[in-house]
Amino acid sequence: MISDSQRAMLAARPRTPQFGATEGLVKIGHYRRAMPVTMARMMENALDWEHLPTLHASSFSSIDLIDSGPWGWQAEAAVPSGSAEAPDRLQIIELLVDTQKHHWVTTILGGVAEGNQIHTQAVALGKDEIEVQVDFFVPDTGLTDEQSRQYGQVMSTIYAQLYDEDESMMARRQQEMQAWAAFRKSKDGREDALDLGPVEEVRAALPRIVPFNGGRFKLDWQDGAFVVFSVRCPHMLGPLDDEPVTDGVVACPWHGYAFDVASGACRDHPGLKLETPPTAVVEDGRLKLRASN
Ligand code: FES
Ligand SMILES: [Fe+2]
């Protein structure tokens, strides 16, 4: 929990990134990576503080937002200690973005690795491809060349994993947005019902994902009845397809929002709800999904 004086200090900081201004710092390494995603997805990802402890669970165990806006965000995050005995270590992180120049500066303002900065420039390589160029800086405390090189390698390894995870989220989200836009534009009408086959055969092959009227639904059997729920998270279209349902609740792997599969209600954000699923009905020994009105 940050103190009132820390909060006042954070509120007084400038809100524009000083990209390339690295006085008092030394560069310890560089990482670059091309990814098949649009610049819009990349900038959205930089501003998205909320995915850190869920998508990047091996690097962050929790995050509490302090402030955010179009300029970026400040948050208190916990970094796993790596040991069951030692408590997680806290960090105050600030990320300042220039959305026109496609660069951002991440600064550790308190806690573990205080003073470190990461300067990232994103460059469009094509309509659906970008490259991130990441420079790692630490306070100039007299590290030897060998210590700097090793520290830089550690940072590159961590960033390779973070971008593996980010790339999968950004690419998937982009694909979902395009698929949804294509369906809305298409002339295909909505189906009233979908025949899935003989009921016992369907039951023997559960769970399964069924595309229906532009949505994607999971069909399963629980407590003596068929259940059907949307596997497209209404927050940012995260995939619920492979997530376990525990006590009737499924959690999204991107930001961790939890949904009651029976009602679709979101436990974290009452305004969000899973898409209304079709209803599973048995007619003449066959299982059908019927569009809900
Ligand atoms: S996409 Fe954010 S919680 Fe699912
Ligand atoms: Fe990320």
Side-chain angles (χ1 to χ4, degrees), residues 81-94:
S81 67
S83 141
E85 289 86 52
D88 290 350
R89 297 163 301 164
L90 293 176
Q91 239 182 8
I92 297 175
I93 307 175
E94 174 188 78

Side-chain angles (χ1 to χ4, degrees), residues 45-46 48 51-52 55-56 162-163 165-166 169:
N45 184 272
D48 177 3
H51 73 274
L52 268 57
L55 192 72
H56 304 312
L162 294 176
Y163 273 111
E165 293 159 351
D166 281 331
M169 175 166 90

Side-chain angles (χ1 to χ4, degrees), residues 109-132:
L109 294 172
V112 58
E114 181 172 347
N116 284 16
Q117 287 193 14
I118 298 146
H119 292 224
T120 306
Q121 175 73 60
V123 178
L125 301 179
K127 190 168 78 64
D128 288 338
E129 190 176 15
I130 59 150
E131 181 181 76
V132 285

Side-chain angles (χ1 to χ4, degrees), residues 233 235-238 252 254-257:
C233 176
H235 175 221
M236 285 173 66
L237 310 178
C252 180
W254 287 358
H255 306 92
Y257 293 10

Side-chain angles (χ1 to χ4, degrees), residues 168-215:
S168 75
M169 175 166 90
M170 291 187 284
R172 177 68 182 256
R173 174 160 160 74
Q174 196 163 294
Q175 198 183 45
E176 288 287 344
M177 290 171 81
Q178 284 165 352
W180 180 236
F183 177 78
R184 286 179 54 162
K185 251 173 89 180
S186 79
K187 306 235 175 338
D188 297 348
R190 305 291 191 265
E191 303 289 342
D192 286 336
L194 180 67
D195 187 340
L196 297 179
V199 65
E200 288 314 319
E201 281 178 28
V202 174
R203 257 194 73 180
L206 293 178
R208 69 185 267 193
I209 302 294
V210 186
F212 185 67
N213 284 348

Side-chain angles (χ1 to χ4, degrees), residues 3-284:
S3 65
D4 288 349
S5 62
Q6 279 176 313
R7 197 171 285 279
M9 178 276 286
L10 293 170
R13 285 180 57 81
R15 296 300 199 224
T16 46
Q18 302 301 304
F19 187 80
T22 58
E23 203 182 327
L25 301 172
V26 286
K27 183 170 164 179
I28 55 163
H30 177 75
Y31 175 76
R32 66 199 292 159
R33 176 187 188 128
M35 291 181 284
V37 300
T38 61
M39 188 62 82
R41 292 289 73 71
M42 188 64 252
M43 298 315 294
E44 177 182 75
N45 184 272
L47 287 164
D48 177 3
W49 56 273
E50 209 175 5
H51 73 274
L52 268 57
T54 31
L55 192 72
H56 304 312
S58 59
S59 294
F60 298 96
S61 43
S62 68
I63 193 160
D64 285 316
L65 183 67
I66 297 166
D67 197 6
S68 69
W71 49 270
W73 49 269
Q74 296 168 331
E76 186 176 41
V79 180
S81 67
S83 141
E85 289 86 52
D88 290 350
R89 297 163 301 164
L90 293 176
Q91 239 182 8
I92 297 175
I93 307 175
E94 174 188 78
L95 188 143
L96 298 176
V97 182
D98 186 321
T99 49
Q100 300 303 308
K101 294 183 178 151
H102 305 143
H103 62 217
W104 56 98
V105 173
T106 311
T107 306
I108 309 303
L109 294 172
V112 58
E114 181 172 347
N116 284 16
Q117 287 193 14
I118 298 146
H119 292 224
T120 306
Q121 175 73 60
V123 178
L125 301 179
K127 190 168 78 64
D128 288 338
E129 190 176 15
I130 59 150
E131 181 181 76
V132 285
Q133 300 163 355
V134 187
D135 288 323
F136 305 110
F137 299 92
V138 298
D140 188 358
T141 54
L143 290 182
T144 64
D145 288 352
E146 181 56 16
Q147 286 169 328
S148 290
R149 195 187 60 76
Q150 286 182 6
Y151 199 171
Q153 270 183 355
V154 169
M155 292 304 293
S156 291
T157 303
I158 293 171
Y159 266 64
Q161 176 168 352
L162 294 176
Y163 273 111
D164 280 349
E165 293 159 351
D166 281 331
E167 181 182 323
S168 75
M169 175 166 90
M170 291 187 284
R172 177 68 182 256
R173 174 160 160 74
Q174 196 163 294
Q175 198 183 45
E176 288 287 344
M177 290 171 81
Q178 284 165 352
W180 180 236
F183 177 78
R184 286 179 54 162
K185 251 173 89 180
S186 79
K187 306 235 175 338
D188 297 348
R190 305 291 191 265
E191 303 289 342
D192 286 336
L194 180 67
D195 187 340
L196 297 179
V199 65
E200 288 314 319
E201 281 178 28
V202 174
R203 257 194 73 180
L206 293 178
R208 69 185 267 193
I209 302 294
V210 186
F212 185 67
N213 284 348
R216 225 174 47 253
F217 299 91
K218 190 169 203 168
L219 174 65
D220 207 349
W221 176 265
Q222 275 172 13
D223 301 328
F226 286 105
V227 288
V228 193
F229 63 93
S230 169
V231 288
R232 190 163 53 194
C233 176
H235 175 221
M236 285 173 66
L237 310 178
L240 305 177
D241 308 44
D242 299 324
E243 300 310 306
V245 176
T246 308
D247 296 331
V249 173
V250 66
C252 180
W254 287 358
H255 306 92
Y257 293 10
F259 298 90
D260 185 287
V261 298
S263 68
C266 179
R267 299 201 163 182
D268 309 282
H269 298 271
L272 279 181
K273 199 167 188 282
L274 294 177
E275 283 163 63
T276 304
T279 310
V281 291
V282 179
E283 288 172 6
D284 303 327

